[in-house]
Amino acid sequence: MKSASAGPPTLRHVAQASQVSESTVSKIVNRTKRFSPEVERRVQAAVAELGYTPNPHARSVITGRSRTIGVVVADVLNPHFALLIKGVGSVARARGYTVLLTDSDEDSDLEAELLGTLIPRVDGLIVAPRLEAQVVAQFARLKPLALTARPSDLARRQALGEALTFGVDGFQTGQMIGHYLAQGGHRHVSYLHLAQADDDRLRGLEAALGGQGIRCTVHRSAEPSIEGGLRAATAMLLGEDRPDAVVTYNDLMALGVLAEARKFGFEVPRDFSLVGVDDIPYAALTSPPLTTVRTYSREIGVQLAEALLDRIEGVDRLAPTPPTPQLMVRGSSAPRQYEAAPVGRG
Amino acid sequence: MKSASAGPPTLRHVAQASQVSESTVSKIVNRTKRFSPEVERRVQAAVAELGYTPNPHARSVITGRSRTIGVVVADVLNPHFALLIKGVGSVARARGYTVLLTDSDEDSDLEAELLGTLIPRVDGLIVAPRLEAQVVAQFARLKPLALTARPSDLARRQALGEALTFGVDGFQTGQMIGHYLAQGGHRHVSYLHLAQADDDRLRGLEAALGGQGIRCTVHRSAEPSIEGGLRAATAMLLGEDRPDAVVTYNDLMALGVLAEARKFGFEVPRDFSLVGVDDIPYAALTSPPLTTVRTYSREIGVQLAEALLDRIEGVDRLAPTPPTPQLMVRGSSAPRQYEAAPVGRG
DNA sequence: GTGAAAGCGCTAACAC
DNA sequence: GTGTTAGCGCTTTCAC
C-alpha cells in the first residue's frame, strides 16, 4: 500500500520498503546483477506491492538512450504507410522499443519540424522522406536514420550520407510497368507523377517505353492521394489525344482516377488501361480490380526497423536484400488491339 | 563550432560559451525570466552556434511531465483510426505535444501491454479500447485517459471511472440504420457484429427493427477488417433464408462482404442492401458506392485530444458535444418492393 | 538581473 | 553479494 506521497513510487521507496540500497534495487530490476534469493524476493515483493515502474526518462538521462524510435511518414491514411508502420511496430515491440509516430501531412516543412522535435527523444528514426536528400542528410548526422527511399541514382544515394536506405527499387518498378504496357500494344502512356518524389519510377517507365517508341506524357500532382487522382483525372483524360494507358505514382491516385473516369463515362480497361503502385488492400477490391505493382510495404517496415535497431545497438549484420517488386495483373488493364479486324473476342 | 566532446551540447556548454550560469541559460531558453539584452544576445548566439537542443528526458525527470501523449488504436490500417490519429496529431502539434502511437493489432492482451509501457512515458492517453471497461479503468487511475467509446449504457460508463469518453453515439448509429432499412421495406436484416465490441450499435439496430416486426440475425466476427467481412460473408449469404439487408460493424467489413458477394454472383443492391459504418474514404468509391453512417473519425480525434490536453493542463473547459452520426445513403442499398406489381420504375 | 546550491529518479564505478 | 558515491542534464528555490 502506497502512502499519501506525491507521484508514483520511485526506486527509493522500493529500497526503503525492502530494506536494501537503491543500487541493489536498480540492479535487480534491470537484471544486471544477481543477489541472494532472500533479497531478490523482498525486492520483487516491494516492487509488486508498490506497483513500481522505472521512470524511463530518468533512465534515458543517464544512459543517453531512450529505447524509442521515431517514425515519420507523409500520411498514415495511405495504407502503404500504415502497413509500413505495422511492420516497424512489430519489430520494435519484439526488441523492446517504443515507437514515436508522426504524420507530416505531405508537407516538407512540417516534416523537418517533426524530425527536429523527434531527434532528441529517440535513438533512431525511420523516415519516408519528402524532404530533399541534403536536408535529410543533415538530420542523419545527429541520429541514425533509415529511409524508405531507394534511389537508383548513385549521386543521390551519396547525398544521403550516413543514412541507411532501403526499399523496393523505383526504377525497376517503373520498368516493369513499361514493359508490361509495351507488350500489351499500348501506344500512349500518361504517367501521373508525384511532384516532390524521386524520379526513379518515371525514369524506369520512360526507359522501358522509349525503346519501343511509345509516347509517355507526364502529369504532376502534389497529392499522392485519392483526391490527387480525382483532380488530375480531368487533365489526363479529357484533353485531346487521350492516352490508352494511365499509370499513377501510387494506388490511391489510381483509385481517384478510376472513380473520376467512371463519372466521365469511361470504361476501364476498355477505354484505357490503369496501373497503380503498392498493391494496397483496396486495390484488389475495386471493379475492375486494379493492376498494380506490389511494393511489400509491411516487409519494408520490418527490414528498415531491423536494420535501424541493428545499427543503434551496434550489431553488424548483413544488409538484407530488398524485396523485388511484383506486377499484379488484374482487370484494370488489357492489351490493345489497334489493327486487328473486328473479330469478336479472342 | 563544437569541439570533440562526446554527445550533443548541454546547458553547461552553452553556459560556458556565453559566460553565464547554467540557471541563466535555462531561464532564457525557457523564456521563464528576462535578462539584460546583452546577456540574452550572448546566450542566444551560443545556443545557435553550438546547435543546442534541450534534453527532453532530463526536463521530464524534474517536471514530471513529458509533453507527450500516447495513442493506442486497434489497427492503423483502418482508415477510421488513421483519421482519428490525424486529428489527434494536429491538435497535439498545435499545442506543443508529441504523439506516441501504438497499434494493438486488435489484440486485448497486447493493448494492455502497450498501455503499461506507454503510461510512464506520457502525460495522458487516447485509447480506442478493445479491453474491458474494468481493465481500462485501472489504467485510468494512473494517467488521464480519453476513450473513443461512448457507451449509452450508464453502468458501463461508470465502470470507466475517471476516464473521459467521447465518440459518436453507438445506439443512435444503430437506430438510424434500423429506421432506414425498415422504411425501405426490408424484412430480414443480418448484422455482422464485432465480437469484442460494445453492443450499442446492435441494440440500437434491434430497437429500431423490433418495433416493426423485422427479423434481425446476428453474426459475429473477431476481425473488424476486410478479411473479417470476406470470411463472414459465406455464413451470412449462403444459408437458407437469406437476408434482404446486411449491416456490418464497420465499412471495412462491408467492403469484404461486397467483394465476396460479387464472387458468389450476387448483385448489390438487387439481392440485398448493404450498409456499413464510418464512411471511410473508400466507401464512396466502390461500385455500387457504399451506404454508411459517417462517424466523423477525424473530428473525434480532434475533440479527444483537446479534452485530454485540457485535463492534463488543468484547463476547465466545457465538454464538447460529440458529432451526430449521419446516414450517407448511396448505391449499395435500395428499397424492397415485395408486393408491388411489376410496374416499371417509380 | 544573476548565480549558487539542491535535487529530480536513476545508473555506474568502485569499494568492501 | 551489497552499499557508497558521484553525477547524467536539467529546473527551481532562494540568496544577493
Side-chain angles (χ1 to χ4, degrees):
Chain A
M1 202 185 333
K2 192 153 97 27
S3 60
S5 68
T10 71
L11 257 198
R12 166 122 77 259
H13 299 131
V14 178
Q16 282 166 349
S18 51
Q19 307 276 33
V20 295
S21 74
E22 291 185 35
S23 60
T24 299
V25 177
S26 170
K27 286 160 193 158
I28 291 178
V29 168
N30 294 311
R31 291 169 171 64
T32 178
K33 225 146 202 169
R34 307 250 28 176
F35 289 82
S36 69
E38 162 60 11
V39 168
E40 300 220 337
R41 207 197 47 67
R42 275 202 338 253
V43 170
Q44 301 292 12
V47 165
E49 169 91 352
L50 299 175
Y52 169 74
T53 335
N55 180 329
H57 302 297
R59 192 176 272 176
S60 294
V61 173
I62 301 171
T63 61
R65 310 241 288 89
S66 59
R67 293 198 81 78
T68 299
I69 58 174
V71 176
V72 182
V73 296
D75 181 12
V76 268
L77 198 51
N78 183 333
H80 169 62
F81 292 126
L83 282 166
L84 186 123
I85 291 164
K86 277 182 167 285
V88 172
S90 68
V91 171
R93 194 181 323 123
R95 293 178 64 162
Y97 282 74
T98 317
V99 174
L100 213 43
L101 181 100
T102 53
D103 178 324
S104 72
D105 246 331
E106 300 284 354
D107 176 342
S108 300
D109 293 339
L110 182 52
E111 182 179 325
E113 188 190 319
L114 292 172
L115 283 169
T117 65
L118 288 190
I119 278 188
R121 302 165 187 263
V122 301
D123 296 340
L125 281 156
I126 290 171
V127 189
R130 299 286 190 223
L131 277 172
E132 303 150 42
Q134 300 95 305
V135 185
V136 176
Q138 289 305 315
F139 288 108
R141 294 174 13 175
L142 300 172
K143 283 281 164 71
L145 242 57
L147 312 173
T148 60
R150 204 188 113 170
S152 346
D153 144 22
L154 198 62
R156 226 149 11 93
R157 200 182 299 186
Q158 284 172 344
L160 289 173
E162 319 163 35
L164 302 160
T165 61
F166 188 81
V168 159
D169 192 296
F171 187 86
Q172 198 182 348
T173 302
Q175 219 177 9
M176 288 180 71
I177 297 173
H179 283 146
Y180 166 70
L181 292 176
Q183 226 173 300
H186 295 81
R187 291 177 173 172
H188 178 197
V189 176
S190 276
Y191 178 58
L192 179 51
H193 189 45
L194 176 61
Q196 67 268 41
D198 291 342
D199 291 330
D200 287 351
R201 285 180 197 169
L202 173 55
R203 284 204 303 265
L205 183 69
E206 282 174 333
L209 297 177
Q212 315 287 319
I214 299 167
R215 275 184 56 206
C216 183
T217 314
V218 179
H219 296 253
R220 278 163 206 282
S221 163
E223 313 159 278
S225 60
I226 293 174
E227 287 71 32
L230 286 172
R231 274 194 265 276
T234 318
M236 302 184 81
L237 299 174
L238 294 190
E240 47 189 49
D241 193 12
R242 212 179 68 223
D244 57 9
V246 170
V247 179
T248 58
Y249 175 80
N250 68 12
D251 286 348
L252 289 183
M253 288 173 136
L255 296 189
V257 170
L258 184 59
E260 198 71 358
R262 189 177 299 144
K263 246 178 57 183
F264 293 152
F266 290 115
E267 200 178 292
V268 174
R270 190 196 61 195
D271 298 320
F272 62 91
S273 289
L274 179 62
V275 181
V277 173
D278 279 346
D279 195 23
I280 63 175
Y282 308 96
L285 299 183
T286 54
S287 54
L290 188 64
T291 294
T292 184
V293 177
R294 182 171 288 179
T295 56
Y296 298 93
S297 322
R298 199 181 191 290
E299 288 76 3
I300 297 291
V302 167
Q303 300 197 6
L304 278 169
E306 295 281 17
L308 180 67
L309 294 184
D310 283 350
R311 169 171 288 196
I312 288 172
E313 296 177 348
V315 180
D316 209 1
R317 201 170 329 210
L318 223 56
T321 331
T324 308
Q326 194 185 340
L327 184 68
M328 312 294 295
V329 177
R330 301 208 181 94
S332 72
S333 60
R336 303 294 113 177
Q337 300 171 316
Y338 286 109
E339 49 263 285
V343 262
R345 303 164 159 259
Chain B
M1 198 184 338
K2 191 154 96 31
S3 63
S5 69
T10 71
L11 256 198
R12 164 122 77 262
H13 299 130
V14 178
Q16 282 166 351
S18 50
Q19 307 275 33
V20 294
S21 74
E22 292 184 35
S23 56
T24 298
V25 178
S26 169
K27 286 159 193 157
I28 291 179
V29 168
N30 294 311
R31 291 168 169 67
T32 177
K33 224 144 203 171
R34 306 248 28 172
F35 290 81
S36 68
E38 162 60 9
V39 167
E40 300 219 339
R41 206 198 46 67
R42 281 210 323 264
V43 170
Q44 301 292 11
V47 165
E49 169 92 352
L50 298 175
Y52 169 74
T53 334
N55 180 329
H57 302 298
R59 193 174 271 178
S60 295
V61 173
I62 301 170
T63 61
R65 311 240 289 90
S66 58
R67 293 197 81 78
T68 299
I69 58 174
V71 176
V72 182
V73 297
D75 181 12
V76 268
L77 198 50
N78 184 332
H80 169 63
F81 292 126
L83 282 167
L84 186 125
I85 291 165
K86 277 182 169 285
V88 172
S90 68
V91 171
R93 195 183 321 122
R95 294 179 65 163
Y97 282 74
T98 317
V99 174
L100 213 44
L101 181 99
T102 52
D103 177 326
S104 71
D105 246 332
E106 300 285 353
D107 176 341
S108 301
D109 293 340
L110 183 52
E111 184 180 323
E113 187 189 319
L114 292 172
L115 284 169
T117 65
L118 289 189
I119 278 188
R121 302 167 186 260
V122 301
D123 296 339
L125 281 157
I126 291 171
V127 188
R130 299 285 191 223
L131 278 172
E132 304 150 41
Q134 300 95 305
V135 184
V136 175
Q138 288 305 314
F139 288 108
R141 295 172 15 174
L142 301 172
K143 283 281 165 71
L145 243 56
L147 311 174
T148 60
R150 204 187 113 171
S152 348
D153 148 21
L154 197 64
R156 228 149 8 96
R157 201 183 295 186
Q158 284 173 343
L160 289 173
E162 319 163 38
L164 302 161
T165 62
F166 187 81
V168 160
D169 192 295
F171 187 85
Q172 199 181 347
T173 303
Q175 219 176 10
M176 289 181 71
I177 297 173
H179 284 145
Y180 167 69
L181 291 176
Q183 225 174 299
H186 295 80
R187 293 178 172 171
H188 178 197
V189 175
S190 276
Y191 179 59
L192 179 51
H193 189 45
L194 177 61
Q196 67 269 40
D198 289 344
D199 290 331
D200 287 351
R201 285 181 197 170
L202 174 56
R203 282 203 303 264
L205 184 68
E206 282 174 334
L209 297 177
Q212 316 286 321
I214 299 167
R215 274 183 59 205
C216 182
T217 314
V218 180
H219 296 252
R220 278 162 205 282
S221 162
E223 313 160 278
S225 60
I226 292 176
E227 288 71 32
L230 286 172
R231 273 195 266 275
T234 317
M236 302 185 81
L237 299 175
L238 294 190
E240 47 189 49
D241 193 14
R242 214 178 67 222
D244 55 10
V246 170
V247 179
T248 58
Y249 176 79
N250 69 10
D251 286 349
L252 289 182
M253 287 172 137
L255 296 189
V257 170
L258 184 59
E260 197 72 359
R262 189 177 299 143
K263 246 179 57 185
F264 294 151
F266 291 114
E267 201 178 292
V268 174
R270 190 196 61 195
D271 297 321
F272 62 92
S273 289
L274 179 62
V275 181
V277 173
D278 280 345
D279 195 24
I280 63 175
Y282 308 97
L285 299 183
T286 53
S287 54
L290 188 64
T291 294
T292 185
V293 177
R294 184 171 286 179
T295 55
Y296 298 93
S297 322
R298 199 181 192 292
E299 287 77 2
I300 297 290
V302 167
Q303 300 199 6
L304 278 170
E306 295 283 16
L308 180 67
L309 293 184
D310 284 349
R311 168 171 290 198
I312 288 172
E313 296 176 347
V315 180
D316 210 1
R317 197 163 342 201
L318 223 57
T321 332
T324 309
Q326 194 185 339
L327 184 68
M328 312 294 295
V329 176
R330 301 208 183 93
S332 72
S333 60
R336 303 295 111 177
Q337 299 171 316
Y338 287 109
E339 50 262 284
V343 260
R345 300 163 162 263

